Amino acid sequence: MRKILVTITTTHNSNWRKKIKEIDELNIQEAALFLTGLNLQERKECYQLLKKTALIKIPFVHLRSDMAPWELKFLIKNYQSKIFNIHSEAQYPLKHNLSLYSNQIYVENTDRFLNEKELQKWAGICLDFSHLEDDRCLNLKRYRHNLKIIKKYPLGCNHISAVRKKAFHHPQYGNIKSSHWIQNLAEVNYLKNFPKEFFSPVMAIELENSLKKQLKVKKYIETMNILVK
């Protein structure tokens, strides 16, 4: 059975401190943690706030490129973290040597062509479905390239975000349909476009919405018959 996790996201609009408060309010014992929006000082604050909650497990962590090995060790020891993902090093070079954890780190497909030489250094691919859907709708060349590579490497984890009906302009990424803010549950129906073998054992909801809203998204996805292998 595949597992869907609500996620403490830390991008600009995600209000991560409020999400940490929601953990105990909603009796959440297991969640993913995406640290991409936090500098070292903020991450230390995040770790301290998490320790004050009743959260038991953080199985999946999205790393930031400046994270040091001690942070992974902390997460593994305190929260049984087993799976990590990074962006391409061509886009965000790692500032510390994380090779000790290479068999637990997966490279995310973003707005770039997947690079096999890079993937061979790590455990496999973190498949972000909304990015793949962007490519399917708006960049067929990259979609076809990435599909070939996706089928060759282990898929250790997934990101699930919203996808709008119509493309819109993003100041950094150009025309896209994917969004980290969900407006209605139908914006995850695009998941039906992909085969079941693309769905990993651990999937994280990558949304800036509250954990309360993410729980509704999780429940909706669980009705879509994609979780059974």
Side-chain angles (χ1 to χ4, degrees):
M1 188 74 174
R2 298 176 172 99
K3 179 186 297 185
I4 299 176
L5 300 170
V6 297
T7 302
I8 302 159
T9 52
T10 59
T11 45
H12 179 65
N13 296 315
S14 65
N15 201 340
W16 58 274
R17 293 179 183 88
K18 185 176 180 180
K19 284 183 173 63
I20 292 176
K21 288 182 179 180
E22 284 187 278
I23 290 170
D24 289 344
E25 293 171 2
L26 299 170
N27 193 29
I28 292 171
Q29 297 183 334
E30 189 174 31
L33 177 62
F34 283 24
L35 293 164
T36 47
L38 304 186
N39 60 35
L40 178 57
Q41 182 177 350
E42 291 168 326
R43 292 198 301 274
K44 287 181 177 179
E45 178 190 353
C46 178
Y47 302 149
Q48 290 301 314
L49 290 174
L50 286 170
K51 287 173 70 174
K52 295 177 182 178
T53 73
L55 189 68
I56 296 172
K57 291 184 180 181
I58 305 177
F60 177 20
V61 181
H62 189 330
L63 303 177
R64 180 172 150 129
S65 60
D66 63 349
M67 287 179 66
W70 72 262
E71 297 181 74
L72 281 71
K73 185 177 180 180
F74 166 85
L75 291 162
I76 292 168
K77 179 181 178 181
N78 290 278
Y79 295 104
Q80 305 171 52
S81 301
K82 294 182 178 180
I83 296 172
F84 305 92
N85 89 267
I86 58 172
H87 289 152
S88 168
E89 290 184 85
Q91 191 173 15
Y92 295 99
L94 296 178
K95 294 189 177 181
H96 300 276
N97 183 357
L98 301 182
S99 60
L100 180 64
Y101 303 98
S102 61
N103 64 344
Q104 296 173 260
I105 296 175
Y106 295 81
V107 180
E108 180 185 348
N109 61 305
T110 56
D111 59 336
R112 290 172 172 255
F113 287 77
L114 286 170
N115 184 299
E116 289 198 73
K117 287 185 178 180
E118 180 176 12
L119 288 171
Q120 289 163 8
K121 293 172 51 181
W122 305 103
I125 296 170
C126 168
L127 185 58
D128 185 307
F129 284 115
S130 67
H131 295 162
L132 190 62
E133 180 69 359
D134 269 339
D135 286 344
R136 190 183 74 85
C137 298
L138 304 170
N139 194 322
L140 276 177
K141 183 178 181 181
R142 187 165 62 215
Y143 178 70
R144 289 166 181 156
H145 168 88
N146 285 352
L147 271 187
K148 291 178 182 178
I149 296 179
I150 287 166
K151 293 175 181 178
K152 292 171 62 176
Y153 290 86
L155 302 177
C157 44
N158 295 121
H159 294 179
I160 296 174
S161 301
V163 169
R164 305 275 189 255
K165 284 186 177 181
K166 295 182 180 180
F168 61 94
H169 182 77
H170 188 282
Q172 183 177 355
Y173 302 113
N175 288 335
I176 59 172
K177 298 179 72 177
S178 59
S179 174
H180 289 157
W181 186 269
I182 195 165
Q183 296 175 332
N184 64 77
L185 294 176
E187 291 177 340
V188 294
N189 285 344
Y190 72 95
L191 294 171
K192 298 174 184 178
N193 293 330
F194 302 112
K196 283 189 176 182
E197 56 265 30
F198 281 13
F199 292 84
S200 306
V202 178
M203 295 173 273
I205 296 174
E206 187 179 12
L207 294 173
E208 295 168 341
N209 302 75
S210 68
L211 296 188
K212 184 177 181 180
K213 180 64 174 182
Q214 290 185 36
L215 285 172
K216 293 180 181 179
V217 175
K218 169 182 162 71
K219 186 175 181 180
Y220 181 77
I221 295 172
E222 288 172 344
T223 68
M224 293 172 63
N225 194 33
I226 60 174
L227 301 185
V228 181
K229 292 186 178 180

